[in-house]
């Protein structure tokens, strides 16, 4: 696994060194070649660098790491395109897991951060809505694990973040198209197709949508 860390990212480099023993991790100088890009976050000025590296290599897993507990900084990193936001102290463990996953092929999927589980505990219906290149990612909770449906509405493109979910059916606020909340399957038009569903995983206190890697 090829890892890029900036020269001034001491915690990132230390994490790589700890993870590197007996593994095929290698630091590279060019972020375009990397499977994993590390960005140490100290303050908001690092968000620009995060965005720059995201646009430099959209295929890589982009990890923002920090010693800070500043919630705004963590959320800013997610909005800036980080696939993962982690405590710097946990980097070595995470890199070992990613290395194993990349060699087995399972990291061909990317995790898209949706929200902290604590922020939406006990809520039902559309509990979070995130703008992403894939579309409007809606985290929908009924019984059991939430699902992620991709808006906007396929009929005429209305946003679905404020759509009502009743009796397991999501209704578009514009013209009334209906979709199953558990799968996005079309129930009623005028939309002539359903909503794409992405798998959701819960990890590190957050919900993540799983999407194929951008190649
Ligand atoms: S835009 Fe949703 S039903 Fe028309």
């Amino acid at each position: 696994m090829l890892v890029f860390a900036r020269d001034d990212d001491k915690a990132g480099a230390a994490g790589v060194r700890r993870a590197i023993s007996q593994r095929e991790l290698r630091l590279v100088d060019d972020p375009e070649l990397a499977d994993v890009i590390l960005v140490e976050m100290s303050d908001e000025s690092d968000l620009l660098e995060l965005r720059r590296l995201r646009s430099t290599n959209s295929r890589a897993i982009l990890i923002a790491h920090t010693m800070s507990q500043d919630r705004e900084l963590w959320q800013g990193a997610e909005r800036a395109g980080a696939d993962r936001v982690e405590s710097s102290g946990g980097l070595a463990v995470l890199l070992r897991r990613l290395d194993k996953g990349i060699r087995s092929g399972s990291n061909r999927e990317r995790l898209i951060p949706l929200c902290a589980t604590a922020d939406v505990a006990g809520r039902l219906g559309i509990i979070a809505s995130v703008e992403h290149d894939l579309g409007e990612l809606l985290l929908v909770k009924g019984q059991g694990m939430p699902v992620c449906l991709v808006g906007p509405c396929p009929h005429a493109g209305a946003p679905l973040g404020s759509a009502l979910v009743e009796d397991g059916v999501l209704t578009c606020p514009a013209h009334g198209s209906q979709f199953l909340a558990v799968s996005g399957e079309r129930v009623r038009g005028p939309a002539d197709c359903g909503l794409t569903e992405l798998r959701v995983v819960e990890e590190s206190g957050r919900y993540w949508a799983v999407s194929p890697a951008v190649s």
Side-chain angles (χ1 to χ4, degrees), residues 183-194:
S183 64
E185 187 182 331
R186 176 185 173 278
V187 174
R188 193 182 81 182
D192 58 5
C193 64

Side-chain angles (χ1 to χ4, degrees), residues 153 155-158 160 172 174-177 190-191:
C153 179
H155 171 233
L160 294 174
C172 174
H175 312 106
S177 289

Side-chain angles (χ1 to χ4, degrees), residues 146-161:
V147 298
C148 178
L149 302 180
V150 182
C153 179
H155 171 233
L160 294 174

Side-chain angles (χ1 to χ4, degrees), residues 44-213:
E44 296 215 345
S45 65
D46 293 311
L47 296 176
L48 279 179
E49 181 65 355
L50 201 54
R51 288 196 186 92
R52 186 187 73 77
L53 287 165
R54 173 79 292 163
S55 63
T56 299
N57 183 344
S58 60
R59 173 190 59 83
I61 298 168
L62 182 57
I63 300 173
H65 68 95
T66 180
M67 299 298 285
S68 167
Q69 297 298 317
D70 182 349
R71 187 182 173 84
E72 292 284 313
L73 191 61
W74 283 57
Q75 291 175 338
E78 288 174 354
R79 286 195 295 270
D83 294 309
R84 309 287 292 257
V85 187
E86 293 285 333
S87 162
S88 297
L91 268 186
V93 172
L94 175 63
L95 287 169
R96 286 189 192 112
R97 281 178 40 212
L98 289 175
D99 179 44
K100 200 171 160 190
I102 279 177
R103 280 189 282 140
S104 69
S106 62
N107 281 325
R108 293 304 299 159
E109 297 174 323
R110 284 184 52 201
L111 297 181
I112 303 167
L114 296 175
C115 64
T117 54
D119 289 348
V120 295
R123 291 174 51 195
L124 294 173
I126 297 175
I127 58 177
S129 168
V130 173
E131 287 301 323
H132 187 272
D133 290 348
L134 292 174
E136 182 188 27
L137 304 185
L138 308 165
L139 186 62
V140 186
K141 177 85 169 72
Q143 302 299 323
M145 188 69 181
V147 298
C148 178
L149 302 180
V150 182
C153 179
H155 171 233
L160 294 174
S162 62
L164 271 184
V165 178
E166 284 180 328
D167 298 327
V169 174
L170 183 154
T171 302
C172 174
H175 312 106
S177 289
Q178 293 189 319
F179 310 92
L180 286 184
V182 291
S183 64
E185 187 182 331
R186 176 185 173 278
V187 174
R188 193 182 81 182
D192 58 5
C193 64
L195 304 172
T196 299
E197 181 200 353
L198 301 179
R199 190 162 59 87
V200 172
V201 295
E202 183 180 351
E203 197 175 304
S204 306
R206 285 164 196 277
Y207 287 122
W208 309 78
V210 182
S211 90

